[in-house]
Amino acid sequence: MSQKKILLTRRFPAIAAQMLSEAGFSVSTRQTDEPMMHDELLQKAASHNGLLCTLSDKINGDFIRQNAHLDVISQFAVGYDNIDIAEANSQGIPVGYTPDVLTDATADTAFGLMIATSRKMFYLHKSIIAGNWTYFKPNSNLGVELKSKTLGIFGLGRIGAEMAKRCKGAYNMKVIYHNRNRNIEAEKALGATYVSFEELLANSDVLSLHCALNEQTKGLFNQKVFEKMKPSAIFINTARGLIHNEADMIEALNNGKIWGAGLDVTNPEPMKPDNPLLRMENVCILPHIGSATVETRSEMAKLAAQNIIGLYNKQGMQHVVNPEVLK
Ligand code: GLV
């Protein structure tokens, strides 16, 4: 095999480039964390055989058509809404991704945001910095308890199930969920109950999103939907920012249609520092760190590299979004 050239679109954990080099690939990688501009990415991809990319790289239809020579696109993420999969299918390009290894870290992020939001932790931390810790106030800084409350999961897959497990174990929360298809395995393991979307909205004390971003979920959590939730509800989004409508969520929080929100994903990303959500009492925001632990990022890098190596050495890609193109 002539030496194949792999482009890493940014600085990934070093193990990815190391594995690829050791497997005989020529690896081009960036030396900084700053992502490539789209034009640079387009131009560089033209002279490579494979791509190791991530969620903020815009691998859209035009990109794929202009780079139809690519043997493989390996995504360093579980979500792949930045990639036009239909076009990759048309061009016969397999797309790898990194599920499973980030399940626990992402569920921890959702669980942490739920607790932090229920006790206004981020806001109170900022209030100390602002010099507002004066004296003990029996009627101030009050959060809400989670014990025996109802957790609603929208999208009960791997990450949703881990979030549910944590909530059941820590707070004996009742788990309800809504999916396109029922998840019988999770129903058995977690005692989760399948409900309609309307029932999910009406009954969840905490509503946590764990679905993919697609045409059905884009903008789904809008004013009409927030209005159907409990005024005491906490909304958690660790999936994708585009699934909620930010202006509608701000309105719902300001007008008491929901109680609080914990977000690891925003729209757009990065969020601007003057965003009003950052100053709200019952809101906790993180900068899309769901999978950001040393262990998880290293496993993601290994899987993303292995998906490329496996394609060429005939072991096969371990995790591929569109296996039909490999037939
Ligand atoms: C992160 O958001 C991912 O999709 O892995």
Side-chain angles (χ1 to χ4, degrees):
M1 162 174 100
S2 64
Q3 198 180 33
K4 299 289 181 187
K5 293 169 77 179
I6 307 298
L7 176 65
L8 275 54
T9 63
R10 69 194 64 205
R11 196 158 61 158
F12 290 103
I15 186 74
Q18 189 188 321
M19 281 174 64
L20 288 162
S21 299
E22 283 172 9
F25 293 90
S26 153
V27 178
S28 319
T29 182
R30 269 173 104 67
Q31 300 309 324
T32 68
D33 287 330
E34 211 179 319
M36 275 182 210
M37 298 302 282
H38 189 65
D39 285 350
E40 186 188 355
L41 186 58
L42 256 181
Q43 187 220 325
K44 287 226 160 84
S47 58
H48 288 79
N49 305 98
L51 208 61
L52 201 163
C53 56
T54 194
L55 37 101
S56 53
D57 296 320
K58 203 162 126 196
I59 314 295
N60 57 13
D62 279 347
F63 180 96
I64 294 176
R65 277 186 293 278
Q66 286 185 54
N67 286 289
H69 67 280
L70 287 172
D71 296 330
V72 58
I73 297 171
S74 180
Q75 167 94 333
F76 175 90
V78 67
Y80 43 83
D81 45 276
N82 58 311
I83 303 174
D84 186 333
I85 299 297
E87 193 55 46
N89 286 343
S90 302
Q91 304 298 339
I93 304 173
V95 177
Y97 71 134
T98 61
D100 299 330
V101 293
L102 46 61
T103 298
D104 283 315
T106 310
D108 283 343
T109 305
F111 186 65
L113 277 172
M114 174 184 75
I115 300 173
T117 305
S118 74
R119 300 297 298 272
K120 311 182 182 189
M121 286 185 187
F122 290 19
Y123 175 81
L124 294 173
H125 177 94
K126 282 178 286 188
S127 82
I128 300 173
I129 297 169
N132 293 333
W133 187 357
T134 46
Y135 37 84
F136 179 77
K137 302 173 192 166
N139 287 313
S140 280
N141 303 336
L142 305 186
V144 290
E145 303 223 352
L146 297 163
K147 196 169 153 199
S148 302
K149 295 270 170 82
T150 296
L151 169 73
I153 300 273
F154 184 68
L156 185 63
R158 292 171 289 244
I159 300 172
E162 279 303 322
M163 168 66 167
K165 209 196 272 180
R166 281 155 178 71
C167 293
K168 260 188 97 67
Y171 296 115
N172 193 26
M173 289 171 85
K174 174 179 168 196
V175 180
I176 59 176
Y177 77 101
H178 183 76
N179 272 15
R180 265 181 309 192
N181 301 310
R182 277 177 70 169
N183 183 340
I184 303 292
E185 207 180 303
E187 286 185 24
K188 284 194 193 128
L190 300 162
T193 306
Y194 180 84
V195 295
S196 68
F197 186 54
E198 299 291 315
E199 287 171 310
L200 186 85
L201 300 176
N203 295 310
S204 299
D205 295 307
V206 175
L207 203 163
S208 192
L209 307 193
H210 298 283
C211 57
L213 170 66
N214 53 38
E215 283 315 309
Q216 287 75 46
T217 59
K218 193 170 179 178
L220 179 63
F221 284 79
N222 59 15
Q223 187 189 357
K224 275 200 192 131
V225 165
F226 289 125
E227 271 167 9
K228 293 178 183 166
M229 288 173 62
K230 289 187 175 186
S232 55
I234 294 175
F235 174 78
I236 303 291
N237 190 356
T238 53
R240 285 292 181 268
L242 279 166
I243 300 170
H244 65 253
N245 177 305
E246 186 179 283
D248 291 357
M249 188 172 65
I250 293 173
E251 193 272 336
L253 286 161
N254 278 334
N255 294 308
K257 288 175 190 152
I258 60 172
W259 188 84
L263 309 174
D264 183 44
V265 289
T266 62
N267 167 28
E269 288 179 10
M271 177 179 259
K272 296 242 167 60
D274 63 355
N275 191 301
L277 284 168
L278 291 166
R279 277 150 200 88
M280 288 182 164
E281 202 167 327
N282 300 358
V283 174
C284 294
I285 316 256
L286 290 171
H288 204 148
I289 55 133
S291 64
T293 67
V294 175
E295 295 87 347
T296 293
R297 288 284 165 85
S298 168
E299 290 307 312
M300 288 166 71
K302 286 186 204 164
L303 205 51
Q306 190 52 46
N307 272 335
I308 297 174
I309 296 167
L311 175 79
Y312 287 103
N313 73 9
K314 309 286 181 240
Q315 259 174 10
M317 290 172 78
Q318 211 176 329
H319 290 291
V320 55
V321 176
N322 51 350
E324 58 274 22
V325 304
L326 294 169
K327 288 196 185 117

Coordinates of all heavy atoms in Angstrom, one line a residue, residues 1-9 16-30 44-45 47-52 70-72 308-309 312:
M1 N 0.9 -1.2 0.0 CA 0.0 0.0 0.0 C 0.9 1.2 0.0 O 1.8 1.3 0.8 CB -0.9 -0.1 1.3 CG -1.5 1.2 1.7 SD -2.7 0.9 3.1 CE -1.7 1.4 4.5
S2 N 0.7 2.2 -1.0 CA 1.4 3.4 -0.9 C 1.0 4.2 0.4 O -0.1 4.0 0.8 CB 1.2 4.3 -2.2 OG -0.2 4.6 -2.1
Q3 N 2.0 5.0 0.8 CA 1.7 5.6 2.1 C 0.5 6.6 2.0 O 0.4 7.5 1.2 CB 2.9 6.4 2.6 CG 2.8 6.7 4.1 CD 4.0 7.5 4.6 OE1 4.6 8.3 3.9 NE2 4.3 7.2 5.9
K4 N -0.5 6.3 2.9 CA -1.8 7.1 2.9 C -1.6 8.3 3.7 O -0.9 8.2 4.8 CB -2.9 6.3 3.3 CG -3.2 5.0 2.5 CD -3.8 5.4 1.2 CE -4.1 4.2 0.3 NZ -4.6 4.5 -1.0
K5 N -2.2 9.4 3.3 CA -2.0 10.7 4.0 C -3.3 11.0 4.8 O -4.4 11.1 4.2 CB -1.7 11.8 3.1 CG -0.3 11.6 2.4 CD -0.1 12.6 1.3 CE 0.2 14.0 1.8 NZ 0.4 14.9 0.7
I6 N -3.1 11.2 6.1 CA -4.3 11.5 7.0 C -4.2 12.9 7.5 O -3.1 13.3 8.1 CB -4.4 10.5 8.1 CG1 -4.4 9.1 7.6 CG2 -5.6 10.8 9.0 CD1 -5.5 8.7 6.7
L7 N -5.2 13.7 7.4 CA -5.2 15.1 7.9 C -6.0 15.1 9.2 O -7.2 14.7 9.3 CB -5.9 16.0 6.9 CG -6.1 17.4 7.3 CD1 -4.7 18.1 7.5 CD2 -6.9 18.2 6.3
L8 N -5.3 15.6 10.3 CA -6.0 15.8 11.6 C -6.4 17.3 11.6 O -5.5 18.1 11.5 CB -5.1 15.5 12.7 CG -5.1 14.0 13.2 CD1 -4.8 13.0 12.0 CD2 -4.1 13.8 14.3
T9 N -7.7 17.6 11.7 CA -8.1 19.0 11.5 C -7.7 19.9 12.7 O -7.9 21.1 12.6 CB -9.6 19.0 11.3 OG1 -10.3 18.6 12.5 CG2 -10.1 18.2 10.1
A16 N -3.6 9.8 19.0 CA -4.2 9.5 17.7 C -3.2 9.6 16.6 O -3.0 8.6 15.8 CB -5.3 10.6 17.4
A17 N -2.4 10.7 16.6 CA -1.3 10.8 15.6 C -0.3 9.7 15.7 O 0.2 9.1 14.8 CB -0.6 12.1 15.7
Q18 N 0.0 9.3 17.0 CA 1.0 8.3 17.3 C 0.5 6.9 16.7 O 1.3 6.2 16.0 CB 1.1 8.2 18.8 CG 2.3 7.3 19.3 CD 2.2 7.1 20.8 OE1 1.9 8.0 21.5 NE2 2.5 5.9 21.2
M19 N -0.7 6.6 16.9 CA -1.2 5.3 16.4 C -1.2 5.3 14.9 O -0.8 4.3 14.3 CB -2.7 5.1 16.9 CG -2.8 4.6 18.3 SD -4.5 4.5 18.9 CE -5.2 3.3 17.8
L20 N -1.6 6.4 14.3 CA -1.6 6.4 12.8 C -0.2 6.4 12.2 O 0.1 5.6 11.3 CB -2.3 7.7 12.4 CG -3.8 7.7 12.6 CD1 -4.4 9.2 12.5 CD2 -4.5 6.9 11.6
S21 N 0.8 7.1 12.9 CA 2.1 7.0 12.4 C 2.7 5.6 12.5 O 3.3 5.1 11.6 CB 3.0 8.0 13.2 OG 2.6 9.3 13.0
E22 N 2.4 5.0 13.7 CA 3.0 3.7 13.9 C 2.4 2.7 12.9 O 3.0 1.7 12.6 CB 2.7 3.2 15.3 CG 3.7 3.9 16.3 CD 3.3 3.6 17.8 OE1 2.4 2.8 18.1 OE2 4.0 4.3 18.6
A23 N 1.2 3.0 12.5 CA 0.5 2.0 11.5 C 1.0 2.3 10.1 O 0.5 1.8 9.1 CB -1.0 2.1 11.6
G24 N 1.9 3.3 9.9 CA 2.5 3.6 8.6 C 1.8 4.7 7.8 O 2.1 4.9 6.6
F25 N 0.9 5.5 8.4 CA 0.3 6.6 7.7 C 1.2 7.8 7.8 O 2.0 8.0 8.7 CB -1.0 6.9 8.3 CG -2.1 5.8 8.1 CD1 -2.2 4.8 9.1 CD2 -2.9 5.8 7.0 CE1 -3.2 3.8 8.9 CE2 -3.8 4.8 6.8 CZ -4.0 3.8 7.7
S26 N 1.1 8.7 6.8 CA 1.7 10.0 6.9 C 0.6 10.9 7.5 O -0.5 11.0 7.0 CB 2.1 10.5 5.5 OG 2.1 11.8 5.4
V27 N 1.0 11.6 8.6 CA 0.0 12.3 9.4 C 0.3 13.8 9.3 O 1.4 14.3 9.7 CB 0.0 11.9 10.9 CG1 -1.0 12.7 11.7 CG2 -0.3 10.4 10.9
S28 N -0.7 14.6 8.9 CA -0.5 16.1 9.0 C -1.4 16.5 10.2 O -2.6 16.3 10.2 CB -1.0 16.8 7.8 OG -0.7 16.1 6.6
T29 N -0.8 17.3 11.1 CA -1.6 17.7 12.3 C -1.2 19.1 12.6 O -0.2 19.6 12.3 CB -1.5 16.8 13.5 OG1 -2.3 17.2 14.5 CG2 0.0 16.6 14.0
R30 N -2.2 19.8 13.2 CA -1.9 21.2 13.6 C -1.2 21.2 14.9 O -1.3 20.3 15.8 CB -3.3 21.9 13.8 CG -3.8 22.6 12.6 CD -5.1 23.1 12.8 NE -5.2 24.5 13.0 CZ -4.9 25.4 12.1 NH1 -4.5 25.0 10.9 NH2 -5.0 26.7 12.3
K44 N -6.6 21.8 2.2 CA -5.7 20.7 2.7 C -6.3 19.3 2.5 O -5.6 18.4 2.1 CB -5.5 20.9 4.2 CG -4.6 22.1 4.6 CD -3.6 21.7 5.6 CE -2.4 22.6 5.7 NZ -2.6 23.8 6.5
A45 N -7.6 19.2 2.6 CA -8.2 17.8 2.5 C -8.0 17.3 1.0 O -7.9 16.1 0.8 CB -9.7 17.9 2.7
S47 N -5.4 17.2 -0.7 CA -4.2 16.4 -0.8 C -4.0 15.3 0.2 O -2.9 14.8 0.5 CB -3.0 17.3 -0.8 OG -3.0 18.0 0.5
H48 N -5.1 14.9 0.8 CA -5.1 13.8 1.8 C -6.1 12.7 1.4 O -7.0 12.9 0.7 CB -5.4 14.3 3.2 CG -4.3 15.1 3.8 ND1 -4.1 16.4 3.4 CD2 -3.3 14.8 4.6 CE1 -3.0 16.9 4.0 NE2 -2.5 16.0 4.8
N49 N -5.8 11.5 2.0 CA -6.7 10.3 1.7 C -7.8 10.2 2.8 O -8.8 9.6 2.5 CB -5.9 9.0 1.7 CG -4.7 9.1 0.7 OD1 -3.6 9.3 1.0 ND2 -5.1 8.9 -0.6
G50 N -7.5 10.7 4.0 CA -8.4 10.5 5.0 C -8.4 11.7 6.0 O -7.5 12.5 6.0
L51 N -9.5 11.8 6.7 CA -9.7 13.0 7.6 C -10.0 12.5 9.0 O -10.9 11.7 9.1 CB -10.9 13.7 7.0 CG -11.0 15.2 7.2 CD1 -9.9 15.9 6.5 CD2 -12.4 15.7 6.5
L52 N -9.4 13.1 10.0 CA -9.8 12.9 11.4 C -10.3 14.3 11.8 O -9.5 15.2 11.9 CB -8.7 12.4 12.2 CG -9.1 11.7 13.5 CD1 -7.9 10.9 14.1 CD2 -9.6 12.6 14.6
L70 N -11.8 11.2 -0.9 CA -11.4 10.8 0.5 C -11.8 9.3 0.6 O -12.9 8.9 0.2 CB -12.1 11.6 1.5 CG -11.6 13.0 1.7 CD1 -12.5 13.8 2.7 CD2 -10.1 13.0 2.3
D71 N -11.0 8.5 1.3 CA -11.3 7.1 1.6 C -12.1 7.0 2.9 O -12.9 6.1 3.0 CB -10.0 6.3 1.8 CG -9.1 6.2 0.6 OD1 -9.7 6.3 -0.5 OD2 -7.9 6.1 0.8
V72 N -11.9 8.0 3.8 CA -12.6 7.9 5.1 C -12.7 9.2 5.7 O -11.8 10.1 5.6 CB -11.8 6.9 6.0 CG1 -10.3 7.2 6.2 CG2 -12.5 6.6 7.3
I308 N -9.8 4.6 11.3 CA -9.0 4.8 10.0 C -8.1 3.6 9.7 O -8.1 3.0 8.6 CB -8.2 6.1 10.1 CG1 -9.1 7.3 10.2 CG2 -7.3 6.2 8.9 CD1 -8.4 8.6 10.5
I309 N -7.4 3.2 10.8 CA -6.4 2.0 10.6 C -7.2 0.8 10.1 O -6.9 0.1 9.2 CB -5.7 1.8 11.9 CG1 -4.8 3.0 12.2 CG2 -4.8 0.5 11.8 CD1 -4.2 3.0 13.6
Y312 N -8.2 0.5 6.4 CA -7.2 0.1 5.5 C -6.6 -1.3 5.7 O -6.2 -2.0 4.7 CB -6.0 1.1 5.5 CG -6.4 2.5 4.9 CD1 -6.7 3.6 5.7 CD2 -6.4 2.6 3.5 CE1 -7.0 4.8 5.2 CE2 -6.7 3.9 3.0 CZ -7.0 4.9 3.8 OH -7.3 6.1 3.2

